[in-house]
Amino acid sequence: MTGLRETIDPAEIAKFEAMADEWWDPAGKFRPLHMLNPCRLDYITRQIAGEFGRDLAAPRPFEGLRVLDIGCGGGLLAEPMARLGADVVGADAAEGNIHVARIHAAREGLAIDYRATTAEALAEAGEAFDVVLNMEVVEHVSDPPAYLAACHRLVRPGGIMVISTLNRTMKSFAAAIVGAEYVMRWLPRGTHDWRRFITPEELAALLGEAGFEVVDRTGFVFNPLGWSWSLSERDLSVNYAMTARHPG
Amino acid sequence: MKPDVLIIGGGLNGAALAIALARAGMPVTLVESRPLDTFTAEDFDGRAYALSLASKRMLAALELWPSMADEAQPILDIRVADGRPGEGAGFGAVHFDHAEIEEGPMGWIVEDRVVRRALIDRLGETPGIDIRAPARVVDHQTTASGAEATLESGETLRTGLIVACDGRESPTARRAGIHRIRHDYGQSAIVCAVAHERDHGGAAHQLFLPAGPFAILPLPGGHRSSIVWAERPALAARLRNAAEDEFLAALRPRFGDFLGPIRLAGKRFVYPLSLSLAERMTAPRLALLGDAAHGIHPLAGQGFNLGLRDSAALAEVLVEAARRGEDVGSPLVLARYGAWRSFDNTTTALAMSALDGLFSNDNPLLRLGRNLGLAAVERLPALKRRFIREAAGLTGALPRLLEGRPL
Ligand SMILES: Cc1cc2nc3c(=O)[nH]c(=O)nc-3n(C[C@H](O)[C@H](O)[C@H](O)COP(=O)(O)OP(=O)(O)OC[C@H]3O[C@@H](n4cnc5c(N)ncnc54)[C@H](O)[C@@H]3O)c2cc1C
Ligand SMILES: C[S@@+](CC[C@H](N)C(=O)[O-])C[C@H]1O[C@@H](n2cnc3c(N)ncnc32)[C@H](O)[C@@H]1O
């Protein structure tokens, strides 16, 4: 199959290009992702360990697994995966992000294959992975069904994709846009377009259409007292993730 | 690959942390300037530690407790009194009986050499610990992605995180520009073992004398106790070198005669007493732990207990971070340790200081006030139970190791 239509939204990519230098500043524009990181890494690592029978207490538990971090930004998730022993490809449509990610990984002594490319181009090239991480990207693409179809081709049969995004509820509107962009000024105004947010039901349906089987879902819940995030099976009202398998 | 963690200082806290991390699968390098066998020599240190229930649970989870258990004296009763030499206990005496909490004894008294031997044996047996001793760290440097320590031999060791367990003067913290809050109590502690005719029945005594606190800690066997006797430094130094008769003559009015005739049962040691609190527990690529973070007044025997609480929290934070692939020396990870520990450490240090200031004073009004205070504690069972649970280390959000669970 040839000629997959690119699903990148140039305006969205330009926004991320403009912030590229800030990826690794925990107090900078990507502070929400840094704060969310321990919680979502707990989810991701447990899903991978469970699916592939790995022991997280062992050294380099993900040795031998090929992982793609699609829309990797500065590599906030690609680096932990590499530390856990996985073979990691990090891909992002914004060149500036890839540049920053490469410099940071080199400084950390981590070998990560970073590429300025898109899901569609990778699928076209016939790449396949045991695990695809697809975190906080789908709300930024122009055509989610086409994007997820490309992602499906990137997961080898029997492999999994972990995907997270923002729910479209009044609470997420308040939290992500009013809270994070306007009140706390964590994010530049206009980083998110609430109308593009996707409800869990919509995401599950989209994943099904793309050929995935949803095997798990979780909410990420912010606790303002401890300034930390935790996982919740019930509360998917703001930020949530799903694990989907490519049956085969 | 650089090892994850480099520990500077192989005292009680450095050793305990190394064991906790290595057992959870995190390789560590431990650098100690003295040969390790000096620590277990009979006359190395006269201290005995009052280990809290939480500390004991942690030592059990690290499989250190079995080799100490036979030489640990359970504390069955704590008597706190405000008194002056030669006087009996004031009417405000408080009596903490372990029967008031369901967890069993409130703590255990274990001599320094017993704890050290258990730690050092376990250090040698635990895979994943690279021991450098004797070796002294003379310098260290940090970058955004790692740290490097230079040994006296000229060798440099690279790591992702340095943990300074180098004691209350912590040269490592000083090099990192961490300021300390210091207070000299103008007191020294005389520490020694005393043999007595009557059985102590597992009771620990804390007496607040005008020169400073005086503690009698029961040792195993029933007929020996360790004393911690705070005195003005000049007098303490004189007493260390005095003939046994003269020493005992000075001790008797403080010790009292409730345990029958007494005699010396070991060497006398003198330690200057001071408070030395680091202003921060972390700096880039650096965490402070134990006395390096907080050298406190030995009143109530919380020093090593606090250190173990640090180790339990730091080990949990680092091990969890490593298992999810985080960079264990990154500021975000270290901030979790700082947030978990600073409050507990500062409040404990200040509470001990305040108590000592309140009690080491002969002002009759203060004396009346604290007698009333102690009497109030005695009459309010709920408050008293809280004190007991506090002393047993059972309050606050507990790291897993302190609950006796492995990482
Ligand atoms: C009189 C007295 C009684 C006490 N009683 C109790 C009690 O009942 N209960 C209790 O819990 N606590 C008690 N404490 C407190 C307790 O002893 C301390 O909190 C504890 O020993 C501190 O251990 P540490 O490992 O943090 O520091 P330290 O024991 O000071 O160890 C620091 C180590 O670092 C090494 N070092 C230093 N610099 C370097 C370098 N550059 N390179 C390599 N190595 C280096 C040193 O050689 C040393 O071994 C008491 C203290 C005193 C003074
Ligand atoms: C909110 S960031 C998330 C970054 C990273 N996944 C994380 O969670 O830390 C979204 C990223 O997706 C990238 N992106 C958006 N659309 C993309 C596409 N179609 N293909 C690849 N990357 C894309 C953006 O450049 C941006 O870096």
Side-chain angles (χ1 to χ4, degrees):
Chain A
M1 196 160 84
T2 53
L4 272 190
R5 196 169 49 82
E6 296 280 348
T7 62
I8 57 169
D9 176 334
E12 289 286 306
I13 301 304
K15 279 186 219 163
F16 285 104
E17 288 281 13
M19 299 192 277
D21 288 341
E22 303 225 8
W23 277 107
W24 287 99
D25 177 1
K29 297 205 170 82
F30 294 103
R31 181 169 166 192
L33 289 178
H34 283 281
M35 291 197 304
L36 182 58
N37 234 19
C39 171
R40 59 188 190 156
L41 280 168
D42 278 342
Y43 182 72
I44 293 167
T45 51
R46 285 175 208 163
Q47 290 299 316
I48 299 175
E51 193 63 31
F52 296 95
R54 304 298 173 106
D55 174 9
L56 290 173
R60 302 176 62 79
F62 293 170
E63 199 100 59
L65 291 180
R66 192 153 190 259
V67 175
L68 169 68
D69 183 5
I70 184 73
C72 62
L76 265 48
L77 297 165
E79 287 196 3
M81 294 301 119
R83 271 193 208 93
L84 293 172
D87 244 324
V88 184
V89 174
D92 200 288
E95 290 239 25
N97 291 347
I98 290 302
H99 179 69
V100 167
R102 278 193 188 129
I103 293 176
H104 197 268
R107 226 176 57 187
E108 292 284 312
L110 295 169
I112 297 172
D113 180 358
Y114 279 119
R115 305 185 198 171
T117 184
T118 60
E120 293 76 19
L122 285 167
E124 201 80 348
E127 297 269 7
F129 300 84
D130 299 296
V131 178
V132 172
L133 300 184
N134 195 337
M135 307 298 278
E136 315 299 323
V137 184
V138 69
E139 69 271 24
H140 300 285
V141 304
S142 61
D143 181 351
Y147 172 71
L148 292 176
C151 291
H152 181 257
R153 290 177 57 191
L154 288 167
V155 181
R156 69 155 174 78
I160 56 169
M161 175 169 81
V162 184
I163 179 165
S164 71
T165 188
L166 288 155
N167 197 348
R168 195 175 64 251
T169 59
M170 281 320 288
K171 198 169 161 197
S172 71
F173 179 75
I177 302 193
V178 183
E181 294 182 15
Y182 284 82
V183 182
M184 307 308 288
R185 307 274 170 87
W186 283 338
L187 294 174
R189 290 175 192 183
T191 302
H192 290 106
D193 180 349
W194 182 71
R195 285 160 308 172
R196 290 191 177 200
F197 293 1
I198 300 169
T199 66
E201 296 69 35
E202 290 164 351
L203 183 64
L206 285 171
L207 288 169
E209 283 159 30
F212 286 105
E213 178 196 336
V214 176
V215 292
D216 194 76
R217 57 176 78 190
T218 188
F220 300 139
V221 180
F222 184 63
N223 165 14
L225 279 181
W227 279 88
S228 62
W229 292 77
S230 55
L231 298 173
S232 163
E233 273 175 35
R234 276 172 298 111
D235 185 357
L236 278 64
S237 63
V238 179
N239 212 302
Y240 67 95
M242 287 185 187
T243 301
R245 192 187 281 126
H246 181 157
Chain B
M1 267 272 301
K2 61 187 183 203
D4 287 337
V5 179
L6 175 83
I7 301 173
I8 304 180
L12 298 178
N13 287 317
L17 177 71
I19 293 166
L21 290 175
R23 284 176 60 90
M26 238 178 143
V28 298
T29 303
L30 178 69
V31 188
E32 164 57 49
S33 55
R34 291 179 280 186
L36 290 186
D37 52 17
T38 47
F39 293 129
T40 44
E42 200 64 37
D43 60 356
F44 172 69
D45 198 316
R47 264 175 252 182
Y49 302 105
L51 293 176
S52 68
L53 177 57
S55 295
K56 179 236 168 184
R57 284 181 178 159
M58 170 162 172
L59 295 171
L62 298 178
E63 286 181 68
L64 289 157
W65 186 249
S67 59
M68 300 185 203
D70 289 346
E71 292 173 86
Q73 169 65 48
I75 305 172
L76 302 177
D77 190 2
I78 300 179
R79 291 159 182 268
V80 183
D82 170 33
R84 281 187 299 188
E87 267 179 24
F91 76 91
V94 199
H95 168 84
F96 296 109
D97 188 335
H98 77 287
E100 293 180 43
I101 55 171
E102 64 260 30
E103 283 89 351
M106 284 174 274
W108 285 260
I109 306 289
V110 192
E111 287 168 89
D112 182 80
R113 61 186 169 83
V114 175
V115 186
R116 301 261 182 193
R117 198 198 51 225
L119 283 168
I120 288 167
D121 288 351
R122 182 64 65 202
L123 273 182
E125 293 160 5
T126 309
I129 305 179
D130 177 10
I131 302 175
R132 305 294 189 99
R136 177 182 299 276
V137 173
V138 291
D139 196 12
H140 83 273
Q141 239 102 48
T142 61
T143 65
S145 60
E148 213 173 68
T150 311
L151 304 185
E152 206 165 29
S153 64
E155 189 186 351
T156 59
L157 303 172
R158 284 177 40 71
T159 181
L161 171 67
I162 292 178
V163 184
C165 300
D166 48 356
R168 52 171 57 222
E169 291 308 317
S170 185
T172 312
R174 188 175 341 119
R175 272 194 303 271
I178 298 180
H179 293 286
R180 306 189 81 83
I181 302 162
R182 292 171 198 275
H183 176 68
D184 186 347
Y185 293 104
Q187 294 173 348
S188 287
I190 306 162
V191 176
C192 68
V194 170
H196 39 78
E197 197 180 84
R198 276 187 224 139
D199 198 306
H200 51 53
H205 298 259
Q206 180 95 262
L207 217 60
F208 292 97
L209 303 178
F214 180 87
I216 304 175
L217 309 172
L219 293 176
H223 297 277
R224 274 184 330 130
S225 291
S226 171
I227 59 162
V228 183
W229 173 5
E231 262 306 342
R232 282 176 289 278
L235 181 56
R238 214 169 64 232
L239 286 166
R240 177 183 45 202
N241 301 318
E244 176 161 351
D245 284 353
E246 193 189 326
F247 179 77
L248 288 176
L251 176 62
R252 269 188 208 102
R254 291 163 172 87
F255 197 96
D257 56 7
F258 69 108
L259 291 174
I262 55 173
R263 63 187 166 73
L264 266 177
K267 261 180 75 167
R268 281 161 272 173
F269 300 83
V270 170
Y271 304 96
L273 297 182
S274 62
L275 174 81
S276 172
L277 274 186
E279 275 181 353
R280 282 176 289 138
M281 290 195 73
T282 64
R285 300 279 155 191
L286 175 67
L288 309 186
L289 188 146
D291 278 17
H294 40 73
I296 68 169
H297 197 291
L299 178 71
Q302 291 302 310
F304 183 38
N305 290 324
L306 269 186
L308 284 175
R309 267 144 69 179
D310 291 347
S311 283
L314 183 61
E316 187 164 323
V317 165
L318 297 183
V319 166
E320 279 190 349
R323 286 185 188 162
R324 54 169 96 94
E326 288 182 281
D327 170 2
V328 297
S330 69
L332 289 162
V333 173
L334 294 182
R336 284 171 224 155
Y337 167 64
W340 201 349
R341 293 302 304 147
S342 340
F343 180 71
D344 182 23
N345 284 326
T346 315
T347 45
T348 307
L350 295 181
M352 293 304 139
S353 268
L355 263 182
D356 183 53
L358 182 61
F359 284 104
S360 300
N361 195 308
D362 223 5
N363 177 323
L365 267 179
L366 270 183
R367 222 171 119 84
L368 179 65
R370 61 192 189 244
N371 269 337
L372 289 175
L374 286 178
V377 171
E378 180 64 37
R379 295 221 178 85
L380 290 170
L383 185 61
K384 201 170 148 192
R385 227 176 358 258
R386 262 219 59 189
F387 274 6
I388 298 178
R389 297 184 64 87
E390 183 75 46
L394 296 174
T395 53
L398 285 188
R400 281 203 292 271
L401 282 171
L402 291 179
E403 292 176 337
R405 295 185 292 142
L407 287 177

